[in-house]
Amino acid sequence: MIDSTALFGQFETFVAEGLLQRLGCAFARFIDTLGRTPPPVTLACAVLSELETRGHSCLFLSDLVTSPCALLGWPPEQWQGLCDAAGGVPDSAAAWQLALAACDHVWVTGSADRGQPLVLEGERLYLRRYWRNETLVATAVAGRAARRRDIDVQAVRTWLDRLFDAGAGGEGDPDWQKMACAIAARSHLAIITGGPGTGKTYTVARLLALLYALADKPEAMRVALTAPTGKAATRLKQSIDAALADLDGKAGDMPLPLPAGIGAASTLHSLLGARPDTRAFRHHAGNPLDIDVLIVDEASMVHLEMMAALLDAVPAHAVVILLGDKDQLASVEAGAVLGDLCAEAEHGNYLQETADYIAAACGERLPAAMVRGGDILSQQTVMLRKSRRFGGPVGVLATAINRGDAIESSACLRRAEGRVLSWIDAARQTDLLQLALEGRAGAEGGYHAYLHLLKREPRGDREAHAAWAHEVLKAFEGFRLLCAVREGEWGVNGINEAVEKHFDAKGLIRRRGEWYVGRPVMITRNDGALGLSNGDIGIALPDPDRPEALRVYLLDGKGVAGVLPSRLPQVETAYATTVHKAQGSEFAHAVMVLPPEAGPVVTRELVYTGITRAKQHFTLVSPNAAVLDGAVGRQTRRMTGLRMMLKTQALPAPVTAAPRKRSRALRVSPPGQGEFDFG
């Protein structure tokens, strides 16, 4: 067997040049220390670990053969150097399969499992943890979708006719919101996807009312609302409360859920019971959540490992509703779960059985082109298609971006130049700093309102101080600078520093060290003891009891909560944030800043997500106009096997579950007891 010394020398060079994460090199060394590891397998291990850090959950062997440089962004000559150091590598996916299957550290699915750290399923190579998570998600999703609930279809029709106005879908168009409720009521899982303004939370509020109306004991029904971030969870609760309040008085004797009875929405970490210093949660299959309905908003942000943990902790009788925009950015961590689950949502792919059920349950007719057969998951997925908020220029731009039309995207920006859309070709940061201070072209104010309020602190009245802090926070939330990247002059760090200096020079803030009055910060780590979540925004303001001291105030329902800066977990200044961190948030005016050079992270999904954070105004700032065209043409591709697992699973025919039966949640345990959890 060829020695791997030369290969590890190349790995170290790649680490020094920033082409390979240190973790990838360490993982390859770990596998090598297990003994009898051929160098090509060691090379595949380094590649697999590197891909995991970039959000992929597995390695397709065909890509390792046909396009390794494009896959990894490595120069061809350096990739060839790695191959030479490994003594040559297999020249086909089949040859790679044989080489990996011959290694003692690789479990080939279907064979005897000895707890090896690597898993080979077909042409996909996994770290065991990611294979386990994908298997659990695929099995749980498919099993829940296939299990029908015991419902009275005529009762569903009666209640839905009361919950939805006739013809609400539009002239000649089906009412997708009404159909989504009908679909969700019949099974233990439903996925509702759609862009901004399509009414996902409006729909799920009516779905909740329907589930209450169908329940034998509605007063005993337990509903959990959750989202990946604290801000998204708060918005979900507020939206559902508002929608239920709107229904009150319109539904007659319908047993509507009371907003107070649903309880506060929580983050996923809080719901599952995150514990310090461990990946494990308090709730799992052995200690499931005590719920009957679970509603998960912003599901596009939920990464593979979290989705697996969540589904593992849900009791078998509960109904799971996933809400989200399938076209938004996936989580920064591995997987693209919602995108995989909704891969065929646009085409429908409904069975005739589903079309007949929809007609009976809500009186709507599916378009004939969408009734052409599909898997069990398609029967429980609905895409909302009519935006009631994004019908103007911002919506037109988002649609053009989403379909990859760079010409129309640029034309749309220039055509709607003015109050709604703006495009600044900025060679320097000066224009951006002016925009941050005053806004532009009627797009009201930038951070001007928040900065002005800082000077109006009330003295000696704690209630007035709390009301002022609330007003400052709300004013700050109306505007945001969103960056595509973190580093550099046009990244989060550079822009935050420039904005602080600009505001300080104009006397709008007094920056004296790290903490100062008016400093906006984002929480970057969960803190269960303080009730703080990654992504929460706070502003440092004087303490009413000790004006010389500061507290960081955060929105807390309809009021505010103050925390000493010294008690906060990790924070960062937040005049500018990444687009990723802004998911789940909306701003009256969103400004998206593109870097001067396109990189692999500047993609169509990133631009689309940035645009759809804007409720009223959107401004694009770019020192290089060509970067937008490049981003629109660059679609994110995450390598996962989830959709393939869903396609290839042997699924049971839809069956009726006994109503409200309590049982343990579905759990997938891979054969064998061993489990590798490296990294």
Side-chain angles (χ1 to χ4, degrees), residues 224-243:
L225 307 179
T226 188
T229 67
K231 181 169 290 187
T234 300
R235 283 187 55 236
L236 172 64
K237 172 66 170 165
Q238 291 171 343
S239 298
I240 286 183
D241 283 356

Side-chain angles (χ1 to χ4, degrees), residues 427-508:
R428 298 174 299 148
Q429 284 184 340
T430 307
D431 288 337
L432 176 62
L433 297 175
Q434 188 63 25
L435 178 68
L437 178 58
E438 298 179 358
R440 182 174 184 269
E444 310 202 342
Y447 286 128
H448 177 76
Y450 133 81
L451 292 166
H452 179 67
L453 282 168
L454 290 178
K455 309 296 184 183
R456 294 168 53 192
E457 177 196 356
R459 301 280 183 169
D461 186 332
R462 298 185 70 180
E463 287 189 8
H465 185 279
W468 168 72
H470 187 271
E471 194 177 359
V472 170
L473 282 160
K474 296 297 287 185
F476 183 79
E477 286 300 297
F479 178 85
R480 195 59 46 83
L481 301 171
L482 306 175
C483 299
V485 296
R486 179 165 290 280
E487 304 299 332
E489 181 185 7
W490 297 93
V492 168
N493 296 338
I495 290 175
N496 272 321
E497 178 66 19
V499 169
E500 280 187 318
K501 287 182 177 178
H502 185 65
F503 289 175
D504 191 27
K506 288 187 170 292
L508 299 168

Side-chain angles (χ1 to χ4, degrees), residues 228-574:
T229 67
K231 181 169 290 187
T234 300
R235 283 187 55 236
L236 172 64
K237 172 66 170 165
Q238 291 171 343
S239 298
I240 286 183
D241 283 356
L244 289 174
D246 182 61
L247 276 176
D248 194 22
K250 297 181 181 179
D253 59 350
M254 201 172 182
L256 290 178
L258 297 174
I262 296 176
S266 63
T267 64
L268 291 165
H269 281 86
S270 177
L271 177 73
L272 292 175
R275 296 183 293 175
D277 304 320
T278 176
R279 277 185 148 103
F281 294 100
R282 188 173 70 253
H283 289 290
H284 46 75
N287 180 32
L289 295 162
D290 188 20
I291 58 173
D292 301 295
V293 179
L294 175 66
I295 297 170
V296 185
D297 199 14
E298 298 292 347
S300 65
M301 299 168 64
V302 183
H303 58 84
L304 175 63
E305 186 173 13
M306 178 60 78
M307 186 65 78
L310 182 67
L311 293 173
D312 193 44
V314 179
H317 75 274
V319 177
V320 178
I321 311 296
L322 302 180
L323 305 175
D325 184 346
K326 67 181 180 64
D327 297 314
Q328 281 191 23
L329 282 167
S331 164
V332 294
E333 297 185 55
V337 179
L338 188 70
D340 286 339
L341 298 182
C342 297
E344 299 177 5
E346 193 165 351
H347 305 294
N349 291 345
Y350 295 110
L351 298 170
Q352 186 60 50
E353 178 261 342
T354 299
D356 294 342
Y357 166 76
I358 287 173
C362 65
E364 297 291 327
R365 299 286 176 181
L366 281 166
M370 293 187 181
V371 185
R372 53 185 183 182
D375 60 20
I376 195 66
L377 181 60
S378 295
Q379 312 317 303
Q380 289 302 119
T381 303
V382 178
M383 179 176 172
L384 306 181
R385 299 159 193 268
K386 181 178 179 180
S387 178
R388 289 158 172 80
R389 173 163 60 84
F390 267 34
V394 177
V396 173
L397 175 61
T399 300
I401 294 286
N402 207 14
R403 65 169 180 261
D405 192 335
I407 295 175
E408 175 58 22
S409 299
S410 298
C412 183
L413 278 165
R414 301 189 189 285
R415 188 169 59 240
E417 178 73 27
R419 288 190 58 84
V420 179
L421 296 177
S422 304
W423 188 356
I424 301 175
D425 295 325
R428 298 174 299 148
Q429 284 184 340
T430 307
D431 288 337
L432 176 62
L433 297 175
Q434 188 63 25
L435 178 68
L437 178 58
E438 298 179 358
R440 182 174 184 269
E444 310 202 342
Y447 286 128
H448 177 76
Y450 133 81
L451 292 166
H452 179 67
L453 282 168
L454 290 178
K455 309 296 184 183
R456 294 168 53 192
E457 177 196 356
R459 301 280 183 169
D461 186 332
R462 298 185 70 180
E463 287 189 8
H465 185 279
W468 168 72
H470 187 271
E471 194 177 359
V472 170
L473 282 160
K474 296 297 287 185
F476 183 79
E477 286 300 297
F479 178 85
R480 195 59 46 83
L481 301 171
L482 306 175
C483 299
V485 296
R486 179 165 290 280
E487 304 299 332
E489 181 185 7
W490 297 93
V492 168
N493 296 338
I495 290 175
N496 272 321
E497 178 66 19
V499 169
E500 280 187 318
K501 287 182 177 178
H502 185 65
F503 289 175
D504 191 27
K506 288 187 170 292
L508 299 168
I509 61 174
R510 296 183 61 197
R511 192 169 60 150
R512 302 294 183 266
E514 180 184 15
W515 289 100
Y516 55 86
V517 173
R519 183 192 178 196
V521 294
M522 174 179 281
I523 309 298
T524 58
R525 192 180 69 192
N526 296 323
D527 188 320
L530 293 175
L532 299 176
S533 301
N534 185 358
D536 287 350
I537 295 288
I539 295 178
L541 297 171
D543 186 325
D545 297 324
R546 295 185 304 149
E548 72 283 358
L550 295 177
R551 282 184 176 267
V552 175
Y553 288 86
L554 302 97
L555 292 174
D556 181 20
K558 295 182 179 179
V560 295
V563 183
L564 291 172
S566 59
R567 294 194 63 200
L568 289 174
Q570 296 172 359
V571 299
E572 59 185 34
T573 302

